[in-house]
Every structure is written in C-alpha cells, then in structure tokens.
Amino acid sequence: MSSMGRWIGVVIGLAGILVASARGEDRPNVVLIVADDLGWADLGCYGTKFHRTPNLDKLAAEGRRFTQAYASCPVCSPTRAALMTGKNPARLRLTDWLPGRADRPSQKLLRPELPPGLPLEEVTLAERFKSAGYATGIIGKWHLGGAGFEPTSQGFDENVAGDASGSPLSYMAPFRRRDRTMPGLEEAPYGQYLTDRLGIEAERFIESHKAAPFFLYLPHYAVHIPMVAKAETIAKYPAWDGTPHGKQENPIYAAMLESLDDAVGRVVGALERAGVYNRTILIFTSDNGGLATLEGRDTPPTNNSPMREGKGWLYEGGIRVPLIFRWPGRIAPGTEATPAWSTDLVATLAGLCGLPPAEGPDGVNLAGLLTEGKPVEPRPFYWHYPHYSNQGGKPGGAIVDGDWKLVEFFENGRVELFNLARDVRESNNLAEKEPEKARELASKLASWRESVGAEMPSTNPDYRPNLQAADGSITLPASTAEVHGVMLRFEPLPHKNTLGYWVRPDDWASWEFEVERPGSFEVEALVGCGNGSGGSVVEFRIDDQPLSLTVPVTGGFQEFREQELGRVAIGQPGRHRLEVRARSKPGPAVMDLRRVKLAPAIKDGD
C-alpha cells in the first residue's frame, strides 16, 4: 500500500475504533456472496421456471430484492474491483478480465493496457472492515491479481481459494491443475465438489469468528464455465441434447446453480447455529449477466430473456444482475425498483455498519433506502468497455439515465437508444426518432469518460479481417459484419447467430475481407425467412460486381437454407468489400442472414 493509502487506513482505523467503542457488539457481521456469471433471470425470485433456488428465494422474500441492479461491467474482474473499492472500473483503468483477451489481427481496434491487478493504493472493502476491528476473510474467487496483489495484500486476514485465476483449476477435488493448487484447498477428499467445499469453509469461518464482528467475502466460482456439476443433481433436470432453443434448458448449469443455492443454505444455517443470524447483513449478487452464448462444452449455460444478450455485451442481459439484501429487523422485506449497482456496495455497507463514510464519485449509500425507505436521488450510470469480449461484444460504452439507455460502439461511433421503461428487451432503437435525446446522452457519456480519464482503444495498424482460408474460400459470418442503419443487428445467441431484425429496407450491412489468392468465386448465402416475409429483392455487391437474390420463404427466420448467388471475379490480392442491401421489401422483414461464403470456382474442364 502507498504512503497515502496507509494514511487513509490509519484514519479509517481511528474512526473505526471510535465506532466500535460506541456501538460495541451491536456492529453487524457482513456476508457478501457473489455468484460468477449468474444471470438476472436465473433465480426463482426473478422469474425462472427451470432452475431451483429455494434458499435464495427465501432470502429475497425476507429482504430487499432489487429489480434494476447492475454490474459495473459485462465481465468479471472490473465488477469485482468496483465491489472492493466503490469506484467505476474506468477510473481504475481495470476495464476487462485479468489479464484480458490478447489483441488479434481481425480486430479494428487495440485494447488499452491493463494493470496487473487491483492497485494496492486503493482502499478495499476488506481494509475498511479490518481497520474497524472486523475479522476479514475471502473464500472463493479473487481474480484481481496474483503475487503481490493477492487477497492477503488487500486487507483479508484469511484466504481460501482466491488467486489470479478467472475459473477454477478444478471443480472436483483434487483442486489443482498441473503444478498449481487452489490456496487453502491442498487437502480435500477425492471428488469433493468445489461449491460444496466453499460452503463448508464458510461454515468454518463463521463458527471461528462468531464472538466478534466479521466480514466474509464469499465469491463462488459457480456458475462459471466449465460446466461441471454433481451427476445426481444433473439427473433431477430434464435431459438436453445440446441444441440451443433460446430458453433456460441446460441441466448442468441448473445443477451448478442448485449446488450454489445449497451453499447459501449452509451459510444461513451456520449463522443460525452461531447465534448471529439476526445481526448479520447478507448480500447476494453476481459479477455480470449470465453467459448466453457458446463458449466451451455444454454451453450456452443460460438465457437472460426478456433481457437482451448476456455476458460480454453492454445490453441489459450482460449487465443486469440479481441483488438481494437481508438483515432481520433492520431491512424490511419488499421488492425495490430503485436502480443500483456494484459501486454502491462500499458506501452502503459503511453506512449500514457505522464505518467512516465511504461515499465516492461513483457509488452512493443505499442504507437509508434499505432501512427507512428513503428515496435515492436519480443519477446516471456509466459503463466503459473498450475491449472485444470472448462472447462477441465489441468495444463500446453505455449510459442509463432514468428510463433512457444509450449504447455507443467505438469502431464506428454508431449509437443505439432505448427507452427501458417501455422496451426492456432493447428491441426498438430510437436513435433516429429521438435524435436530441441521443445527442444528449452521447454528450453525457463522452463528458463522463473525460472526467474519469477513461482509456480508449486505438486503431490497429495490422488489421486483417476475414482472411482467406487454406482451401481458397472466404467465409463472412454475421458476427463480423458492420451494420448500418437503425434496426438491423447481429444476434449472437446460438439458436440465432445471425443478422436479424431487418425490418427497415434502408438498413444494410457490409464486410471487409482479405484475399491472397485472387480468382473466380462462387458466392452463396445462408438465409432464413419466415412465412409472410418472402419476396424481398436483395443485392450483394462485391467491389463493383452486383449479385441479386429474391428471398425465398425457408420455413422460419432460424431455418437457414443455402442460396446460390452467382459468380464474381476478384483480380487483385488485398482488401475487398461486400455490401448487402435490400432493394425491395414486400413483407414485415427482409430476411435473416447467417453468413456469406465465397468458394473458388471450378474451372470448366476441371
């Protein structure tokens, strides 16, 4: 910790001593439980009909459940940094998971440099509690830096399982991979399930520290990939053939979540046995939205409907999360629609526990709201994610201000505007209909970025999009298209994986691609079209060569059929461009387009 950080720690410590002497044993314990990659709609109390979460549902019924709670980032490490510091990740320069996804030639932009871990000069939530006389422990995922940045360097007295890892070394004991073992889990019964073990460790911590105030940070690795669960729990759920249908249906994920819920039940039981349940604040949340795209075996794990997309995206499915507070006798039961987010936790817990005030530039104290129903002043919420995510999201930023939300894309400056009160699905982009509101929010977002010193991505001088394959073919997937206009969009969920919502004929899409071996190419498109929307005439133009398609009905927008478009000649190596535009649209939509492929033409006589 820096000299400034030590000075702040001394001040907090002195203030904490005064607080402790004034309140004695009345100071509440705190247990902060954070799930990994848990979606907003994954709990019974948030609407799921597939998953089983009775312990969490009971917590919600007995406490405050926020229906518009946000993670500070659509991926994990930045939100964890915000939970620890009360600061927006952009202010910390920690805007992606650590160490982050490396830059690739296929990306237009290069990411800003990330720190190696949560800066030591930051005063963490654990340091605040420790200075106030609390015992502090972390049991679970840290992911805010390795050696020199580990939990015991950031205010935690005890650390079990927390290191630089973003996913567990193993979900089944032994908890190791090659020459590494998860700290504190060196001895474990063979085959023990990690989520169960973390629950057992939490029970031990509570029993050991029941005589004095404690802060337990319990960030589970579940329900992060890889998808691993106990066989007997998986068997409780309907079998799944692995084909995504755009709904919650993954039995492995459901079993992982059930074990997580059981672990929450262990914590509640331990608090009750220790006689401290009524003087313990229990908080439950997630670090980002649920993973709803393909990423490894047995995925997608979940579906965040009615929220759009999921982890790695700045849409609601990627950033809206569960948030539950329970403190018997102090926090009244009831649903809370007031917007809140990860950065509020530091100031709120300081307020609830009588610690020195911790209100900062990014988070507010919700204690009055939770205990007395005092309203919180309306405020904007900001996101800065200058990275390409593993889930397909592209560099951008977002602002939520009242009912309005704006998403900005850094590759081309395109913006989307939504009214969340009327359109929580973010399906109707109002940027063209409400240009003044779009400009207002874009200006606020830009001013905020400047005020926090947010680092922007830079141009990639070695950008090489959609390279020609070894067999000479060139594949242009929907995920690499640049969309132009208002409603057309890439839909990343695996049962779609398409350019869709093509309801405006003026919207269009383009691709850039690299050719090393020129020649003649046969062009085909993978197209879907539902009943009532056939007959659109679409032009595919490669450089100056047009090809036309009259879109057939395929049986559904996700019923894709190959359509042969014709032949083009590409005479020079280098960068080329394909544009696709609707020339007429007799029905409600043009079509869905999953990909375009250029295959080397077979010469006559071959």
Side-chain angles (χ1 to χ4, degrees):
M1 183 184 290
S2 67
S3 58
M4 177 61 73
R6 285 193 295 272
W7 182 82
I8 294 173
V10 169
V11 172
I12 292 174
L14 291 174
I17 291 170
L18 294 174
V19 171
S21 62
R23 301 186 62 188
E25 293 307 312
D26 290 337
R27 291 178 298 163
N29 307 306
V30 174
V31 179
L32 171 57
I33 306 174
V34 179
D36 196 349
D37 291 358
L38 182 74
W40 179 88
D42 280 337
L43 307 183
C45 56
Y46 281 90
T48 184
K49 302 300 182 186
F50 186 75
H51 307 136
R52 303 172 188 175
T53 56
N55 292 298
L56 285 163
D57 297 343
K58 186 171 186 289
L59 277 186
E62 296 174 350
R64 288 271 186 171
R65 176 177 66 91
F66 283 74
T67 56
Q68 194 179 353
Y70 290 109
S72 299
C73 188
V75 296
C76 52
S77 296
T79 296
R80 294 166 190 274
L83 286 169
M84 286 293 104
T85 65
K87 293 184 178 181
N88 191 290
R91 199 181 294 275
L92 300 168
R93 311 289 194 272
L94 207 167
T95 48
D96 202 9
W97 59 273
L98 294 175
R101 168 179 154 140
D103 289 322
R104 302 176 184 180
S106 59
Q107 299 172 179
K108 281 188 174 182
L109 303 175
L110 302 177
R111 65 176 182 159
E113 184 177 351
L114 295 170
L118 179 64
L120 296 179
E121 60 267 24
E122 296 296 334
V123 179
T124 68
L125 193 53
E127 287 167 333
R128 293 180 185 277
F129 276 113
K130 185 173 183 176
S131 296
Y134 278 65
T136 59
I138 174 176
I139 297 172
K141 175 174 172 175
W142 175 239
H143 203 195
L144 288 174
F149 298 91
E150 61 271 277
T152 50
S153 297
Q154 302 274 21
F156 288 99
D157 299 321
E158 300 180 34
N159 170 34
V160 176
D163 58 17
S165 302
S167 58
L169 300 184
S170 173
Y171 266 115
M172 297 290 183
F175 301 115
R176 64 172 181 260
R177 185 186 305 155
R178 294 188 286 276
D179 61 341
R180 293 177 57 209
T181 301
M182 300 174 75
L185 299 180
E186 292 80 6
E187 301 295 330
Y190 184 82
Q192 184 179 45
Y193 190 51
L194 177 61
T195 307
D196 293 345
R197 177 57 180 269
L198 298 184
I200 292 169
E201 292 289 337
E203 290 178 301
R204 176 199 57 77
F205 182 91
I206 291 166
E207 177 62 26
S208 299
H209 297 285
K210 63 184 180 182
F214 61 79
F215 168 56
L216 173 58
Y217 178 41
L218 183 52
H220 277 277
Y221 283 90
V223 284
H224 194 286
I225 59 172
M227 293 285 96
V228 179
K230 294 180 289 188
E232 63 270 24
T233 312
I234 297 172
K236 295 181 180 180
Y237 295 88
W240 180 49
D241 66 2
T243 302
H245 299 97
K247 62 181 182 179
Q248 295 173 344
E249 58 188 337
N250 189 324
I252 305 175
Y253 182 83
M256 295 177 76
L257 180 50
E258 184 171 328
S259 290
L260 173 62
D261 186 76
D262 289 343
V264 172
R266 283 183 181 272
V267 168
V268 171
L271 294 170
E272 290 172 337
R273 290 191 299 274
V276 297
Y277 186 55
N278 287 340
R279 61 181 179 90
T280 298
I281 303 168
L282 248 174
I283 308 104
F284 179 84
T285 191
S286 178
D287 60 348
N288 47 249
L291 177 60
T293 48
L294 297 175
E295 192 175 348
R297 292 181 55 187
D298 302 312
T299 61
T302 192
N303 184 281
N304 300 302
S305 180
M307 306 301 171
R308 181 173 169 183
E309 318 312 4
K311 178 183 179 179
W313 296 80
L314 288 166
Y315 299 112
E316 293 293 282
I319 56 176
R320 198 179 288 211
V321 293
L323 178 61
I324 300 167
F325 281 83
R326 189 189 189 281
W327 187 9
R330 295 296 301 275
I331 296 177
T335 298
E336 183 54 68
T338 303
W341 67 340
S342 313
T343 58
D344 295 333
L345 265 290
V346 171
T348 300
L349 288 175
L352 291 173
C353 298
L355 304 186
E359 290 214 40
D362 304 312
V364 303
N365 181 359
L366 303 174
L369 172 72
L370 291 167
T371 60
E372 303 173 50
K374 292 181 179 178
V376 176
E377 284 292 320
R379 55 191 165 132
F381 297 81
Y382 299 98
W383 289 264
H384 182 64
Y385 188 63
H387 305 274
Y388 293 87
S389 74
N390 290 335
Q391 299 76 36
K394 295 183 178 182
I399 174 175
V400 169
D401 193 3
D403 292 339
W404 292 96
K405 179 177 179 181
L406 181 130
V407 181
E408 178 183 1
F409 300 91
F410 294 159
E411 284 188 338
N412 55 12
R414 183 173 178 268
V415 298
E416 295 176 347
L417 177 70
F418 305 103
N419 186 298
L420 296 178
R422 300 195 300 261
D423 178 28
V424 75
R425 297 176 181 272
E426 296 170 285
S427 59
N428 187 19
N429 178 12
L430 300 172
E432 188 177 80
K433 292 182 179 179
E434 300 276 357
E436 290 185 10
K437 177 58 71 173
R439 283 192 293 270
E440 173 196 336
L441 293 184
S443 177
K444 279 188 177 182
L445 185 56
S447 296
W448 170 81
R449 280 198 297 263
E450 184 176 356
S451 73
V452 300
E455 295 186 312
M456 296 294 286
S458 57
T459 301
N460 182 4
D462 301 316
Y463 174 52
R464 299 194 67 198
N466 296 308
L467 298 177
Q468 192 169 17
D471 64 1
S473 66
I474 302 157
T475 301
L476 307 177
S479 60
T480 65
E482 181 174 349
V483 296
H484 309 264
V486 177
M487 295 298 292
L488 180 63
R489 71 194 200 195
F490 171 59
E491 298 182 276
L493 300 192
H495 68 295
K496 294 186 175 182
N497 187 26
T498 182
L499 291 178
Y501 269 74
W502 201 344
V503 295
R504 284 170 38 103
D506 292 341
D507 292 354
W508 57 286
S510 64
W511 286 262
E512 293 181 303
F513 59 95
E514 296 269 337
V515 175
E516 292 184 348
R517 299 181 300 284
S520 294
F521 296 86
E522 299 289 350
V523 184
E524 60 184 28
L526 193 57
V527 168
C529 185
N531 294 333
S533 283
S536 294
V537 176
V538 178
E539 179 183 273
F540 294 75
R541 180 174 290 271
I542 298 176
D543 297 334
D544 59 351
Q545 302 172 77
L547 299 170
S548 183
L549 171 69
T550 300
V551 179
V553 172
T554 63
F557 284 101
Q558 277 73 63
E559 295 290 335
F560 292 96
R561 302 286 184 267
E562 292 283 4
Q563 305 296 320
E564 296 181 359
L565 304 179
R567 181 177 293 192
V568 297
I570 298 179
Q572 298 294 327
R575 182 78 52 85
H576 295 267
R577 182 179 176 88
L578 182 149
E579 296 181 358
V580 56
R581 301 175 186 259
R583 297 306 183 194
S584 66
K585 185 186 77 74
V590 176
M591 63 177 178
D592 271 20
L593 178 60
R594 180 168 278 183
R595 66 164 169 78
V596 180
K597 184 173 182 179
L598 286 70
I602 298 175
K603 296 179 181 178
D604 293 339
D606 287 357

